[in-house]
Amino acid sequence: MSMSGLAAASIVPTRLLVLQPTGFCNINCRYCYLADRQARRKMRTSTVRALGRFLGTIQVAEKPLTVSWHAGEPLTAGRDFYESAFSILAESPDCPPLRHTIQTNATLINNQWCELFTRWGVHVSVSLDGPAHIHDRERRDTGNRGTYARALAGFESLLKHDITVSTIGVLTYYAMQFPDEIFRFWRSIGVRSVAIIAEEADGANRVSSLSRVDAGSRYYGFLRRLLELRDQYPEIHIRELEFVEQALRCAPGLEVASMENTPGAIISVDTEGNISTFSPELLDQGHQSYGNFTWGNVNNHTWDEVVGHEKFIGVAKDIRLGVDRCRAECGFYVVCGGGAPSNKISENGTFISTDTVACRLRIMTATEAVLDHYGL
């Protein structure tokens, strides 16, 4: 089945490949969006080989293509898995060159993991919410014990091996009280590239602590203080602030595009080889109107077959209609490019919608904080 002219024209070269080596996680964060994170499935060698062939059917925006091994706790797949998977993909005649990154809670990292990361040039992003009283409040293991000490030990092992490392932290209602403490924590551990994700109602996390009526004002104050602190210590790069600043610097009339609502920009593949695009969080979700959000499998399909799938075309159309509504109705569209489909479907029950709690915080409030900080 061929796509309509509008849908076909919107498919873009891939900028990010998100791979789920396993859905299993060795800890049990309160705000996790994965519903089945105790399932011990692992990607098979045959699926990795098929993935290499499948990647030969896509267009990439640039080489090497960035690969994020994500979802569950990737390191629970084991070092042998990555030694094999990296080798298979590197030797595949169809696969484009890859740049591997891993998003990890770092609790399993040791010298052997660091040696593997060094040998393959892997960039590592560690999930650290802040100092212990913030991190351990949400990131606890299945025995309800805090994971801060183990995560920090893993992070420090990465630094000792001179591995490029960044951090991602989830910002909850509680954590927003401590901008100074969180910033001091970043400086104390020697990280220079950080991300702060405002807690979202997404997937299995049905209700965010930031759904409270005063969350917007609290988040605004948190960001204004971070901006002041960053003025003093500009070596700390905060992704969410730099995203807004870059968007505001764009030439007038230049439309900002979001990878999450642009088909093909991000391709996600789960443990069994099922293929999705748009927001990576959709990979593990389903909906009564759409079914699941996978439209092919690397073992059996090419990318052209995925984007020709009838259900994919329906989803792509509705996501585009939602983006069009954002463009027509929201003054912040020039910053975000239309919002994340996973947030819209989780919060509003439909892709054909506009604002969510996530975009009111991450985009609207963040933009207001940046504009006010610079007196604009």
Side-chain angles (χ1 to χ4, degrees):
M1 177 182 297
S2 62
M3 299 189 68
S4 68
L6 176 63
S10 67
I11 304 296
V12 301
T14 301
R15 303 188 64 85
L16 175 65
L17 176 66
V18 178
L19 299 179
Q20 185 185 75
T22 176
F24 177 74
C25 189
N26 62 324
I27 68 174
N28 189 34
C29 301
R30 181 194 59 77
Y31 42 58
C32 184
Y33 65 87
L34 294 172
D36 197 20
R37 54 188 179 273
Q38 293 305 304
R40 291 182 175 271
R41 294 185 299 272
K42 184 166 71 172
M43 187 177 284
R44 295 183 293 273
T45 298
S46 60
T47 301
V48 177
R49 294 189 188 282
L51 173 67
R53 294 191 295 271
F54 168 77
L55 292 178
T57 73
I58 71 172
Q59 288 186 307
V60 299
E62 58 184 28
K63 297 179 180 179
L65 172 65
T66 296
V67 179
S68 175
W69 297 86
H70 204 308
E73 170 46 48
L75 300 193
T76 62
R79 292 192 304 276
D80 289 346
F81 168 83
Y82 288 100
E83 290 281 12
S84 174
F86 291 169
S87 294
I88 288 170
L89 294 173
E91 294 166 5
S92 171
D94 302 308
C95 187
L98 303 176
R99 172 182 178 265
H100 294 286
T101 70
I102 286 182
Q103 181 63 48
T104 175
N105 62 42
T107 59
L108 301 176
I109 290 177
N110 55 24
N111 288 336
Q112 290 73 34
W113 275 111
C114 291
E115 290 167 4
L116 182 147
F117 297 150
T118 299
R119 190 162 60 255
W120 286 96
V122 179
H123 172 87
V124 182
S125 177
V126 173
S127 300
L128 278 172
D129 288 354
H133 72 96
I134 295 174
H135 183 98
D136 282 347
R137 188 181 178 92
E138 315 293 345
R139 293 188 180 271
R140 307 186 72 81
D141 64 18
T142 54
N144 201 32
R145 296 164 298 205
T147 60
Y148 172 81
R150 284 169 281 170
L152 189 61
F155 177 87
E156 290 174 343
S157 291
L158 294 166
L159 292 185
K160 289 177 183 176
H161 285 79
D162 295 321
I163 293 168
T164 303
V165 61
S166 57
T167 66
I168 289 181
V170 175
L171 189 70
T172 62
Y173 188 86
Y174 174 79
M176 286 194 299
Q177 302 174 74
F178 306 102
D180 289 75
E181 194 169 347
I182 290 173
F183 198 92
R184 284 197 300 271
F185 170 75
W186 293 336
R187 295 190 64 224
S188 71
I189 64 174
V191 68
R192 293 295 177 262
S193 178
V194 303
I196 44 171
I197 303 173
E199 184 193 349
E200 300 175 347
D202 209 350
N205 189 37
R206 298 296 184 186
V207 180
S208 166
S209 67
L210 303 186
S211 298
R212 305 186 192 191
V213 293
D214 64 337
S217 60
R218 277 181 174 260
Y219 189 50
Y220 173 87
F222 179 87
L223 294 180
R224 285 297 305 271
R225 182 56 182 154
L226 285 192
L227 285 158
E228 294 170 355
L229 293 166
R230 195 194 57 177
D231 284 348
Q232 301 175 44
Y233 304 99
E235 67 274 12
I236 303 290
H237 296 275
I238 305 171
R239 184 184 68 179
E240 282 64 28
L241 297 178
E242 294 186 353
F243 169 82
V244 172
E245 291 167 336
Q246 182 177 1
L248 293 174
R249 284 195 295 266
C250 287
L254 182 63
E255 183 169 311
V256 173
S258 168
M259 290 203 301
E260 291 195 51
N261 59 41
T262 304
I266 303 172
I267 292 177
S268 302
V269 179
D270 74 7
T271 306
E272 303 302 317
N274 297 309
I275 305 162
S276 186
T277 185
F278 304 113
S279 302
E281 293 82 1
L282 292 175
L283 186 64
D284 295 283
Q285 296 187 37
H287 187 268
Q288 59 185 4
S289 298
Y290 299 105
N292 60 41
F293 298 110
T294 59
W295 304 287
N297 189 288
V298 298
N299 290 285
N300 307 305
H301 300 98
T302 66
W303 178 236
D304 283 346
E305 290 172 325
V306 171
V307 299
H309 194 293
E310 182 178 5
K311 289 187 176 180
F312 165 81
I313 294 171
V315 168
K317 177 184 175 183
D318 285 358
I319 288 175
R320 176 48 51 186
L321 289 172
V323 171
D324 290 344
R325 281 193 57 184
C326 289
R327 183 189 293 107
E329 299 174 16
C330 182
F332 292 88
Y333 176 82
V334 294
V335 176
C336 80
S342 62
N343 294 132
K344 291 184 178 184
I345 202 72
S346 292
E347 293 191 34
N348 301 334
T350 176
F351 293 123
I352 310 174
S353 60
T354 55
D355 70 308
T356 62
V357 172
C359 78
R360 287 197 293 273
L361 292 172
R362 188 174 60 196
I363 302 301
M364 299 179 189
T365 302
T367 301
E368 290 169 350
V370 169
L371 289 172
D372 290 348
H373 178 73
Y374 292 111
L376 300 175

